[in-house]
Amino acid sequence: MNPPASTTQRRYDLDWIRVGAFGLLILYHVGLVYGVYDWHVHSAHTFEWMREAILITNPWRLTLLFLVSGAALRFMTLRRTPRQVARARFERLVPPLLFGAVVLVPIQAWIEAMDKGGWPGGVAGYVAWMGREFGPSGLADGVPVNHLWFIVYIAAYSIVAILLWRRAGLIEGLGRGLERALRGPWLLVLPILYLFAIRYSLFPTFGITNVLHWDWYNHALSLAAFVFGFAIVGREDLWRTIERYRWIAAGLAVTALPIMMIQVWHPGARAFWDVPRALVYAIDQWATIVAILGFGSKHLRDHSGPVLTYLTQATFPLYLAHQTVLVAAVWIIRPAALPAGLEALALVAVTFLGSLAIYEVVRRIPAIRPLWGLKPLDDRPWPLDLKALLKPKLRYHRRRRLLGVGVAAPLLALTVVAVAILAYPGFNNATQYLSELGGAKAQAPIIFNGGVFVAGIMAGLAGVGFGLAIYALTGARVAGWVVAVVFVLAGGGMSASTLWPWPDPRHMVINLALGIQLAPLLLLWGLAKRRDMPRLKVFLIATFVVMAVLTVLTKHLVLPGTVNDANVGWWERLYALVLVCWVGVAAWVLDRKLLSVATESPPHRPTVAPFDVPA
């Protein structure tokens, strides 16, 4: 049977809900750092009230995600056979699962082992940990997947849904039955009774294990949500009912949440055989889901845009990366002994921005996109499409590759510093300079020195890309040459400094890298003829001003004493972040501009685009 017409239309509300739920997942995991429950790593600050705070999203967040994931799979079944859907699911889920289990999860597991079990740090410690995890004894216990259990479950549930879909008329009949059964107030009553029944009967015995073969309460909850979402996508009468009851559902959720929180700490919470507690939990769970689905369907169904497109594509890579980034961030930031609020903000920022930075890199590298859950570029088969490789290249493709190196260089530098800090037990970010990570006292100086050496070469290549981009966009030869020379000298200084690690006096050749301070002004000079890049120009001006202010402060020219021996390390980190990261942003913007010029301008037109092209 053909699906209802409404299932052929894109549901942007479900995209918004999926993006929002994954964003909440990151915040939830940051919250666990401060909770009293066992998690991978903890802050020095823990709060008892986190027992209640996690209930804000804990009862419904993953259930909603499974429901939306089931709906997304239903859209995949349009114009595809069951075999094609199964293959698409395999190609989308299995490579990230294998990659994550082998590369991403061991990093966070190793940090947890260092934190809780005294496992040795440094390169040798990590190599030993990998040998343990993937040796005979480790594999006998199974390969840990940590937060990637969600992918395992989505894959398993997809198989179940596809098998049900293969039975002619089964899913359509289930959808019709749900549409009839959930009319009026039954939309709220029947699912709440089901959720109460499994919470009361299965949860006390099985709990939530996230182990596929022994997680029967979770299956009764999550598989049911997945199939529910798969079945109801095109049932417009049911969606109208969900919209109609959204305010009632929101009121129930707001009422149930504080009661549920009280039940967590009140000594009489398990009275009456624990029935009230299970019932309130079920009410909050389903009422919140209905409220979110209802408001989303009412207000977001047809609302798309570039932000949603970007976030929808970024969500899966962010999910893969975020927990490893967060665990590493806790390990690095915790020794600074920041106040809890400031530390939490830092963890949220580092986790979001670090994960986004990883996405920005991997989405540009065709060979590894499928490892991060991204479709091959232009829907080409992975890993290679020889026909595509033989196609004529877009104009400026070599310049854009060099600018791509400019995007990757800061990310490499930041990653190298983070790993080098992990490999230097006792490194004090407040009082020690970054150069000491490559000095004689570091346990593995090769990490910092080797990484910075490569990053310096990449900076020089990026400078050539900047110079060529300026010439392509404005025809300014001299400005292009000057920008390129400044970057090549800076990159050379970075690379050369690693050949003479601190405290060798020759290490100060790194001061050549300070020429990048002037590079924003030089780029402005080179791009002066362009009238269609105002935001980049404002960014370059702001970058130069911030670097100038930091220079004045760190040289003690004003406010002497602000920078002192107790905090000089943090000032250096801030200065280094600004000095390095702006390069990646500028390279990305110029790459986008070259791409637009290459695709929009006919080959016979001059290299200088009209000034009225929108930014």
PDB file of all heavy atoms in Angstrom, residues 326-345:
ATOM      1  N   LEU A 326      34.093  15.925  25.998  1.00  0.00           N
ATOM      2  CA  LEU A 326      33.731  16.334  27.352  1.00  0.00           C
ATOM      3  C   LEU A 326      34.624  15.676  28.396  1.00  0.00           C
ATOM      4  O   LEU A 326      35.121  16.347  29.318  1.00  0.00           O
ATOM      5  CB  LEU A 326      32.266  15.994  27.621  1.00  0.00           C
ATOM      6  CG  LEU A 326      31.764  16.201  29.061  1.00  0.00           C
ATOM      7  CD1 LEU A 326      31.939  17.652  29.499  1.00  0.00           C
ATOM      8  CD2 LEU A 326      30.303  15.787  29.184  1.00  0.00           C
ATOM      9  N   VAL A 327      34.828  14.384  28.281  1.00  0.00           N
ATOM     10  CA  VAL A 327      35.672  13.682  29.257  1.00  0.00           C
ATOM     11  C   VAL A 327      37.088  14.248  29.240  1.00  0.00           C
ATOM     12  O   VAL A 327      37.695  14.482  30.304  1.00  0.00           O
ATOM     13  CB  VAL A 327      35.672  12.167  28.961  1.00  0.00           C
ATOM     14  CG1 VAL A 327      36.725  11.450  29.793  1.00  0.00           C
ATOM     15  CG2 VAL A 327      34.291  11.575  29.238  1.00  0.00           C
ATOM     16  N   ALA A 328      37.636  14.482  28.045  1.00  0.00           N
ATOM     17  CA  ALA A 328      38.975  15.080  27.959  1.00  0.00           C
ATOM     18  C   ALA A 328      38.981  16.488  28.539  1.00  0.00           C
ATOM     19  O   ALA A 328      39.939  16.889  29.227  1.00  0.00           O
ATOM     20  CB  ALA A 328      39.446  15.095  26.507  1.00  0.00           C
ATOM     21  N   ALA A 329      37.903  17.248  28.294  1.00  0.00           N
ATOM     22  CA  ALA A 329      37.837  18.614  28.818  1.00  0.00           C
ATOM     23  C   ALA A 329      37.818  18.617  30.346  1.00  0.00           C
ATOM     24  O   ALA A 329      38.468  19.456  30.979  1.00  0.00           O
ATOM     25  CB  ALA A 329      36.601  19.321  28.273  1.00  0.00           C
ATOM     26  N   VAL A 330      37.069  17.709  30.944  1.00  0.00           N
ATOM     27  CA  VAL A 330      37.052  17.625  32.415  1.00  0.00           C
ATOM     28  C   VAL A 330      38.451  17.328  32.937  1.00  0.00           C
ATOM     29  O   VAL A 330      38.924  17.944  33.900  1.00  0.00           O
ATOM     30  CB  VAL A 330      36.061  16.536  32.878  1.00  0.00           C
ATOM     31  CG1 VAL A 330      36.150  16.350  34.392  1.00  0.00           C
ATOM     32  CG2 VAL A 330      34.638  16.902  32.486  1.00  0.00           C
ATOM     33  N   TRP A 331      39.137  16.403  32.301  1.00  0.00           N
ATOM     34  CA  TRP A 331      40.476  15.996  32.745  1.00  0.00           C
ATOM     35  C   TRP A 331      41.469  17.156  32.642  1.00  0.00           C
ATOM     36  O   TRP A 331      42.358  17.301  33.478  1.00  0.00           O
ATOM     37  CB  TRP A 331      40.938  14.810  31.897  1.00  0.00           C
ATOM     38  CG  TRP A 331      42.250  14.228  32.281  1.00  0.00           C
ATOM     39  CD1 TRP A 331      43.434  14.345  31.614  1.00  0.00           C
ATOM     40  CD2 TRP A 331      42.536  13.419  33.436  1.00  0.00           C
ATOM     41  NE1 TRP A 331      44.427  13.671  32.265  1.00  0.00           N
ATOM     42  CE2 TRP A 331      43.904  13.087  33.386  1.00  0.00           C
ATOM     43  CE3 TRP A 331      41.767  12.953  34.482  1.00  0.00           C
ATOM     44  CZ2 TRP A 331      44.506  12.302  34.362  1.00  0.00           C
ATOM     45  CZ3 TRP A 331      42.376  12.162  35.451  1.00  0.00           C
ATOM     46  CH2 TRP A 331      43.718  11.854  35.386  1.00  0.00           C
ATOM     47  N   ILE A 332      41.292  17.985  31.609  1.00  0.00           N
ATOM     48  CA  ILE A 332      42.217  19.094  31.397  1.00  0.00           C
ATOM     49  C   ILE A 332      41.869  20.289  32.285  1.00  0.00           C
ATOM     50  O   ILE A 332      42.749  20.931  32.864  1.00  0.00           O
ATOM     51  CB  ILE A 332      42.206  19.511  29.907  1.00  0.00           C
ATOM     52  CG1 ILE A 332      42.784  18.389  29.042  1.00  0.00           C
ATOM     53  CG2 ILE A 332      42.984  20.802  29.696  1.00  0.00           C
ATOM     54  CD1 ILE A 332      42.599  18.617  27.552  1.00  0.00           C
ATOM     55  N   ILE A 333      40.567  20.608  32.400  1.00  0.00           N
ATOM     56  CA  ILE A 333      40.141  21.833  33.083  1.00  0.00           C
ATOM     57  C   ILE A 333      40.080  21.662  34.600  1.00  0.00           C
ATOM     58  O   ILE A 333      40.331  22.616  35.350  1.00  0.00           O
ATOM     59  CB  ILE A 333      38.771  22.288  32.525  1.00  0.00           C
ATOM     60  CG1 ILE A 333      38.927  22.718  31.061  1.00  0.00           C
ATOM     61  CG2 ILE A 333      38.170  23.421  33.354  1.00  0.00           C
ATOM     62  CD1 ILE A 333      37.619  23.057  30.390  1.00  0.00           C
ATOM     63  N   ARG A 334      39.781  20.480  35.088  1.00  0.00           N
ATOM     64  CA  ARG A 334      39.585  20.279  36.525  1.00  0.00           C
ATOM     65  C   ARG A 334      40.768  20.732  37.383  1.00  0.00           C
ATOM     66  O   ARG A 334      40.559  21.334  38.453  1.00  0.00           O
ATOM     67  CB  ARG A 334      39.251  18.810  36.799  1.00  0.00           C
ATOM     68  CG  ARG A 334      38.890  18.512  38.249  1.00  0.00           C
ATOM     69  CD  ARG A 334      38.464  17.058  38.396  1.00  0.00           C
ATOM     70  NE  ARG A 334      39.502  16.150  37.946  1.00  0.00           N
ATOM     71  CZ  ARG A 334      39.337  14.826  37.818  1.00  0.00           C
ATOM     72  NH1 ARG A 334      38.155  14.283  38.073  1.00  0.00           N
ATOM     73  NH2 ARG A 334      40.320  14.066  37.407  1.00  0.00           N
ATOM     74  N   PRO A 335      42.037  20.474  36.982  1.00  0.00           N
ATOM     75  CA  PRO A 335      43.151  20.923  37.835  1.00  0.00           C
ATOM     76  C   PRO A 335      43.201  22.428  38.057  1.00  0.00           C
ATOM     77  O   PRO A 335      43.849  22.898  39.000  1.00  0.00           O
ATOM     78  CB  PRO A 335      44.394  20.438  37.068  1.00  0.00           C
ATOM     79  CG  PRO A 335      43.911  19.286  36.253  1.00  0.00           C
ATOM     80  CD  PRO A 335      42.523  19.664  35.855  1.00  0.00           C
ATOM     81  N   ALA A 336      42.529  23.212  37.222  1.00  0.00           N
ATOM     82  CA  ALA A 336      42.536  24.664  37.404  1.00  0.00           C
ATOM     83  C   ALA A 336      41.725  25.103  38.613  1.00  0.00           C
ATOM     84  O   ALA A 336      41.837  26.255  39.048  1.00  0.00           O
ATOM     85  CB  ALA A 336      41.997  25.355  36.156  1.00  0.00           C
ATOM     86  N   ALA A 337      40.903  24.202  39.175  1.00  0.00           N
ATOM     87  CA  ALA A 337      40.104  24.495  40.378  1.00  0.00           C
ATOM     88  C   ALA A 337      39.256  25.752  40.202  1.00  0.00           C
ATOM     89  O   ALA A 337      39.209  26.626  41.070  1.00  0.00           O
ATOM     90  CB  ALA A 337      41.010  24.622  41.601  1.00  0.00           C
ATOM     91  N   LEU A 338      38.572  25.826  39.071  1.00  0.00           N
ATOM     92  CA  LEU A 338      37.696  26.967  38.819  1.00  0.00           C
ATOM     93  C   LEU A 338      36.444  26.876  39.677  1.00  0.00           C
ATOM     94  O   LEU A 338      36.043  25.784  40.098  1.00  0.00           O
ATOM     95  CB  LEU A 338      37.295  26.993  37.344  1.00  0.00           C
ATOM     96  CG  LEU A 338      38.426  27.143  36.314  1.00  0.00           C
ATOM     97  CD1 LEU A 338      37.864  27.008  34.907  1.00  0.00           C
ATOM     98  CD2 LEU A 338      39.133  28.476  36.485  1.00  0.00           C
ATOM     99  N   PRO A 339      35.777  27.999  39.939  1.00  0.00           N
ATOM    100  CA  PRO A 339      34.457  27.933  40.588  1.00  0.00           C
ATOM    101  C   PRO A 339      33.514  27.077  39.751  1.00  0.00           C
ATOM    102  O   PRO A 339      33.628  27.014  38.522  1.00  0.00           O
ATOM    103  CB  PRO A 339      34.017  29.396  40.634  1.00  0.00           C
ATOM    104  CG  PRO A 339      35.283  30.189  40.537  1.00  0.00           C
ATOM    105  CD  PRO A 339      36.216  29.387  39.700  1.00  0.00           C
ATOM    106  N   ALA A 340      32.563  26.437  40.420  1.00  0.00           N
ATOM    107  CA  ALA A 340      31.702  25.469  39.744  1.00  0.00           C
ATOM    108  C   ALA A 340      30.987  26.075  38.540  1.00  0.00           C
ATOM    109  O   ALA A 340      30.929  25.455  37.470  1.00  0.00           O
ATOM    110  CB  ALA A 340      30.694  24.900  40.737  1.00  0.00           C
ATOM    111  N   GLY A 341      30.421  27.278  38.693  1.00  0.00           N
ATOM    112  CA  GLY A 341      29.688  27.879  37.588  1.00  0.00           C
ATOM    113  C   GLY A 341      30.566  28.166  36.394  1.00  0.00           C
ATOM    114  O   GLY A 341      30.195  27.877  35.247  1.00  0.00           O
ATOM    115  N   LEU A 342      31.753  28.726  36.642  1.00  0.00           N
ATOM    116  CA  LEU A 342      32.674  29.034  35.556  1.00  0.00           C
ATOM    117  C   LEU A 342      33.169  27.756  34.898  1.00  0.00           C
ATOM    118  O   LEU A 342      33.293  27.678  33.669  1.00  0.00           O
ATOM    119  CB  LEU A 342      33.845  29.857  36.093  1.00  0.00           C
ATOM    120  CG  LEU A 342      34.895  30.305  35.063  1.00  0.00           C
ATOM    121  CD1 LEU A 342      34.244  31.151  33.985  1.00  0.00           C
ATOM    122  CD2 LEU A 342      36.020  31.078  35.748  1.00  0.00           C
ATOM    123  N   GLU A 343      33.446  26.739  35.708  1.00  0.00           N
ATOM    124  CA  GLU A 343      33.909  25.473  35.160  1.00  0.00           C
ATOM    125  C   GLU A 343      32.843  24.836  34.279  1.00  0.00           C
ATOM    126  O   GLU A 343      33.131  24.328  33.184  1.00  0.00           O
ATOM    127  CB  GLU A 343      34.282  24.522  36.291  1.00  0.00           C
ATOM    128  CG  GLU A 343      34.832  23.191  35.809  1.00  0.00           C
ATOM    129  CD  GLU A 343      35.060  22.226  36.958  1.00  0.00           C
ATOM    130  OE1 GLU A 343      34.059  21.728  37.527  1.00  0.00           O
ATOM    131  OE2 GLU A 343      36.227  21.953  37.281  1.00  0.00           O
ATOM    132  N   ALA A 344      31.588  24.872  34.740  1.00  0.00           N
ATOM    133  CA  ALA A 344      30.503  24.285  33.957  1.00  0.00           C
ATOM    134  C   ALA A 344      30.337  25.006  32.621  1.00  0.00           C
ATOM    135  O   ALA A 344      30.149  24.369  31.576  1.00  0.00           O
ATOM    136  CB  ALA A 344      29.197  24.321  34.751  1.00  0.00           C
ATOM    137  N   LEU A 345      30.403  26.339  32.633  1.00  0.00           N
ATOM    138  CA  LEU A 345      30.317  27.096  31.381  1.00  0.00           C
ATOM    139  C   LEU A 345      31.468  26.734  30.449  1.00  0.00           C
ATOM    140  O   LEU A 345      31.274  26.600  29.236  1.00  0.00           O
ATOM    141  CB  LEU A 345      30.323  28.594  31.674  1.00  0.00           C
ATOM    142  CG  LEU A 345      29.054  29.181  32.294  1.00  0.00           C
ATOM    143  CD1 LEU A 345      29.264  30.650  32.642  1.00  0.00           C
ATOM    144  CD2 LEU A 345      27.872  29.040  31.328  1.00  0.00           C
TER     145      LEU A 345
END
